[in-house]
Amino acid sequence: MPNRAHNFNPGPAVLPVTVLEESRDAVASLGSLGMSILEISHRSKDFEAIIQDAEKDALGLMGLSAQDYAVIFVGGGASLQFAMVPMNFMQTKADYIVTGEWATKAAKEAKLFGAVNEAASSKDKNFNYLPKRFNFSPDADYVHITTNNTIYGTEWKSVPDVGSVPLIADMSSDMFGMKRDWSKYSLIYAGAQKNLGPAGVTMIVIKRAYVETKAKQQVPSMLKYKTHVDGASLYNTPPVFAIFVVGRTLKWILKEGGLEAVEARNQKKAKMIYDVIDAHTGFYKGSVSDKADRSIMNLTWNLPTPELEEKFVAEAKKMQLVGLKGHRSVGGVRSSQYNACPVESVEALAKFMEEFYAANKP
Ligand SMILES: *Cc1c(COP(=O)(O)O)cnc(C)c1O
C-alpha cells in the first residue's frame, strides 16, 4: 500500500497493512467463493468459520477457556455497553471508578437503573491521575473500571483489588495492548475501532456463569447478553465485515508473537515519546501527574501556549504525522499509538518533536 501516513488518530485508527490488504481482497472476493465478504450470509459455513475463529483466537490470546468465557460481537459501540451493563447486571447498586469522560458517561447511564457509588474519582484534577484509594461498597452488584482513559492519557496497568465483587471493564482503547490477568473480569467490552478493527462492532468477553446466575431477565432481547451468548452472536445479522476485520487483526497479533510481543513493542514506542517529553520538561509538559499512570496507548502532553500547540499539530501534519490534536475537551497534543502503529511512525514523531523543540524553544 503506497503513501501510508503516520497515523496517530485516536479512533477509528491505524490498522495493520496486511489486515487492510486481506480485507481489500475479501471485499473483492472471499477465497474462491465467487462472492464478496459483503455478500455472504451471516449463517453460511464460511462466515461461521470466520466468527468462530475470531472467538477462539481472542480466548487463546487471553488464555481463557470457552467453557468459562464467551466472546460475543454486538453493534452499538462501547457507548451502548454503558447502558447494557447496568440494564443486565444492576440489581440495586454498583461501584464506578470515574477516571475520565468515558467512565463518567458509563456512570451516568448506570444511574438510570439503580444507585451509583463513585468508588473513586480523579475529577478534582481534571482526570490527570489514577486514584489510589477506593471506597468500595461490599454489597455492590459489580465494580466498573475504564482500563485506559483515551482522552486523558492514563492507564491502569494493574487494576485495584475488588475482592469477590464482579469486575467489569471498558477496555475500548487498550484491549489486547498488553497482557492482563483476564480471569479477574466478569465482563470486558471494547469498541473495535481503537485497537481491534473498524467501527461498527464491539467485542465482549463475558463469564458464562455470570450471565447464567446474575443477569436480569426483564431485558429486551437485543439488549440482553444472554441472547447473544446463547445465539453465538447470530441472534440477528451481526456486522459481518467488521467481525471479519477484527478476526484478521487477532490473527495478526498472534503472528506478531501474541500479547507479550505487542506489549513489548507498545512499551518501546511509548518510551520513545515520553523520553523526549522528559528531556524537555519546560517545553513539553506531560499532562499525567504520576509517571506510573501514563498510558502506553494514548500519550498526552501540552506545550507552553495554545498557539504553539496549534503550530505543532499543523507542522506535524505537513510531515504526514496526522491525528495528533488533543481531544477538544482538554486541548494539547495526543499521540495514539495503538498496536498497529508502526515503530517507524513513532520514530518519525520523536524526531519531529526534537526538531520542533530546537526551532521553538524559548
Ligand atoms: C472511544 C471510547 C468509547 C466510545 O466508543 P463508541 O464505540 O464510540 O461508543 C468508550 N470508552 C472508551 C474508553 C473509549 O475510548
Side-chain angles (χ1 to χ4, degrees), residues 76-80 82 102 146 148 150 170 172-173 191 193-194:
S79 299
L80 180 61
F82 298 164
W102 298 116
T146 310
N148 185 65
T150 326
D170 175 359
S172 292
S173 53
Q193 72 274 18
K194 310 278 170 50

Side-chain angles (χ1 to χ4, degrees), residues 131-361:
K132 307 292 181 289
R133 282 202 305 274
F134 307 91
N135 171 29
F136 290 124
S137 0
D139 55 346
D141 293 313
Y142 59 83
V143 175
H144 182 281
I145 191 166
T146 310
T147 51
N148 185 65
N149 298 289
T150 326
I151 295 172
Y152 300 92
T154 59
E155 183 175 30
W156 297 95
K157 312 300 179 338
S158 65
V159 293
D161 184 12
V162 298
S164 59
V165 176
L167 181 60
I168 295 183
D170 175 359
M171 294 198 187
S172 292
S173 53
D174 71 347
M175 186 74 193
F176 296 151
M178 63 171 67
K179 281 174 62 173
R180 288 190 182 276
D181 181 356
W182 307 95
S183 65
K184 272 188 180 175
Y185 300 85
S186 292
L187 194 164
I188 295 165
Y189 60 91
Q193 72 274 18
K194 310 278 170 50
N195 210 20
L196 295 175
V201 70
T202 303
M203 178 189 272
I204 296 161
V205 182
I206 189 164
K207 210 179 229 174
R208 291 184 187 275
Y210 188 49
V211 187
E212 289 306 327
T213 61
K214 299 288 184 192
K216 291 190 276 188
Q217 294 306 309
Q218 298 297 337
V219 176
S221 307
M222 274 299 285
L223 301 174
K224 210 173 184 176
Y225 290 108
K226 187 168 160 47
T227 303
H228 301 290
V229 171
D230 290 351
S233 305
L234 294 172
Y235 170 74
N236 74 324
T237 318
V240 169
F241 182 57
I243 293 169
F244 172 87
V245 182
V246 170
R248 298 320 301 175
T249 305
L250 298 177
K251 296 257 182 245
W252 173 82
I253 295 174
L254 286 164
K255 215 164 71 221
E256 293 293 298
L259 297 186
E260 205 154 329
V262 295
E263 174 175 352
R265 192 165 56 202
N266 290 336
Q267 297 277 10
K268 177 180 158 183
K269 292 185 298 190
K271 184 173 186 309
M272 287 164 64
I273 300 305
Y274 287 131
D275 279 355
V276 178
I277 291 172
D278 294 339
H280 309 297
T281 46
F283 190 73
Y284 295 124
K285 300 167 188 168
S287 45
V288 176
S289 63
D290 185 345
K291 285 183 189 177
D293 297 342
R294 284 171 163 179
S295 171
I296 60 170
M297 297 270 98
N298 307 97
L299 294 69
T300 52
W301 67 92
N302 287 89
L303 277 77
T305 64
E307 291 71 33
L308 267 176
E309 288 167 349
E310 211 168 294
K311 188 176 175 200
F312 179 95
V313 172
E315 287 189 11
K317 199 168 176 188
K318 284 193 201 133
M319 310 291 287
Q320 292 237 73
L321 300 153
V322 302
L324 289 165
K325 194 169 155 53
H327 189 269
R328 59 190 184 279
S329 63
V330 289
V333 179
R334 168 174 55 177
S335 174
S336 299
Q337 306 180 176
Y338 299 119
N339 287 351
C341 175
V343 173
E344 300 75 56
S345 289
V346 179
E347 269 165 5
L349 174 59
K351 183 164 171 282
F352 170 76
M353 287 172 75
E354 289 289 3
E355 289 164 1
F356 190 86
Y357 169 72
N360 295 278
K361 67 182 177 204

